[in-house]
Amino acid sequence: MKILVPVKRVLDYNIKPRAKADGSGVELTGLKMSMNPFDEIALEEAIRLKEKGIASEVVAVSCGQTSSQDTLRTALALGADRAILIEHDGEFEPLAVAKCLVKLIEQEQPKIVICGKQAIDDDANQTGQMLAALLNWSQATFASKVEVEEDRLLVTREIDGGLETLSVTLPSVVTTDLRLNDPRFATLPNIMKAKKKPLETIQANTLGIDLTPRVTILGVREPDPRSSGVRVDSVDSLIDKLKHEAKVIA
Ligand code: AMP
């Protein structure tokens, strides 16, 4: 059973995003980029399924610029067997990513695609769902536990009221929640070995997909700075301030 894991290169989660001076987007120049954290979780799950002997091959794929090769090398160092870059210099919207993945899936024939539930740069939470719809596959989103049965997946999801368990047909698209697992770190020997693993590049414009963006970002600005708090010396004075100054209680 082959598993495909789409991994996106995003601004590292430890870096505070800053809006560009002209408000056209988030500043990325010279900043550390990393694998989207939910995709690290997706990859970890796929690698664990391989280690258990359930999966036979883990293929990581990234849609983006040449620089996404770094993210794919990280995926290879973490345990993916092969990597594929679908290269495109321009904007890559979730629908275009999903359509490119469909083309790749037609060639690769994986049984499971494990995506992150969202990319932390666009917070779109769209790609996995659109991919499942385009493929007419089952989908199980926000997985906190995944078990493989013969021809089905048992997926546990954290919902408002507790835990929901779904049984879905294979092939399937799963998207990962934060508590699915704790991803491993790449060891130095594995980083070295990853340099020799296969990394193929496919030009997105050869796939026959309209990659033209449909959404225009009108502006990006940082949140207004918060005013500093005020210390009060008693509960009575707090209630007084909430009533008469902030006017948030009557
Ligand atoms: P999004 O719909 O943009 O929030 O992304 C959800 C998930 O789709 C991510 O966690 C990735 O698994 C996958 N994905 C989105 N964009 C890309 C991309 N450019 N390359 C590879 N995978 C992606």
Side-chain angles (χ1 to χ4, degrees):
M1 176 188 296
K2 192 189 285 185
I3 303 183
L4 193 82
V5 184
V7 295
K8 187 175 187 187
R9 181 176 187 263
V10 296
L11 182 64
D12 188 88
Y13 72 97
N14 285 307
I15 293 178
K16 188 170 188 282
R18 294 271 176 217
K20 284 187 186 166
D22 63 1
S24 63
V26 171
E27 189 58 74
L28 301 177
T29 320
L31 296 175
K32 184 177 178 221
M33 305 291 285
S34 302
M35 187 186 299
N36 181 44
F38 289 106
D39 305 350
E40 288 182 355
I41 296 172
L43 186 63
E44 176 67 32
E45 198 62 21
I47 295 164
R48 288 188 190 184
L49 288 172
K50 188 173 172 206
E51 286 169 346
K52 283 186 202 155
I54 295 169
S56 53
E57 191 182 26
V58 176
V59 182
V61 52
S62 195
C63 302
Q65 301 179 354
T66 320
S67 47
S68 296
Q69 283 184 351
D70 293 354
T71 311
L72 289 170
R73 285 282 168 217
T74 306
L76 293 168
L78 289 168
D81 298 292
R82 281 191 294 127
I84 300 166
L85 170 64
I86 300 183
E87 193 172 358
H88 173 55
D89 266 346
E91 186 65 32
F92 234 138
E93 289 183 350
L95 181 59
V97 171
K99 287 182 176 174
C100 288
L101 293 175
V102 169
K103 294 283 177 187
L104 190 67
I105 287 162
E106 282 166 2
Q107 279 178 38
E108 292 283 338
Q109 301 282 316
K111 264 281 174 64
I112 309 174
V113 177
I114 312 182
C115 294
K117 77 168 177 183
Q118 74 196 69
I120 61 167
D121 54 357
D122 59 15
D123 276 345
N125 175 13
Q126 294 173 0
T127 311
Q129 293 88 328
M130 292 201 280
L131 178 63
L134 291 169
L135 291 165
N136 199 19
W137 286 11
S138 66
Q139 60 173 291
T141 54
F142 304 178
S144 62
K145 190 172 174 196
V146 177
E147 289 161 281
V148 182
E149 295 189 324
E150 207 161 299
D151 56 349
R152 299 183 81 88
L153 285 183
L154 270 191
V155 176
T156 305
R157 314 174 64 236
E158 288 177 17
I159 56 168
D160 270 357
L163 295 177
E164 177 184 67
T165 305
L166 303 178
S167 168
V168 294
T169 52
L170 285 171
S172 187
V173 176
V174 174
T175 76
T176 60
D177 212 340
L178 207 57
R179 275 173 288 275
L180 179 60
N181 59 49
D182 284 323
R184 68 196 66 191
F185 294 101
T187 60
L188 192 57
N190 286 343
I191 293 173
M192 300 311 287
K193 276 189 212 152
K195 292 187 179 160
K196 295 203 177 124
K197 288 189 179 176
L199 196 166
E200 181 193 345
T201 299
I202 298 172
Q203 294 304 322
N205 60 12
T206 62
L207 296 175
I209 292 165
D210 180 8
L211 299 166
T212 320
R214 295 158 187 235
V215 178
T216 308
I217 296 174
L218 299 178
V220 174
R221 66 176 184 88
E222 288 171 25
D224 295 330
R226 279 187 173 191
S227 48
S228 54
V230 179
R231 250 179 206 285
V232 288
D233 39 19
S234 68
V235 174
D236 286 345
S237 114
L238 173 66
I239 291 173
D240 188 59
K241 278 186 183 297
L242 291 175
K243 264 189 192 165
H244 301 112
E245 284 180 28
K247 297 196 170 58
V248 288
I249 55 172

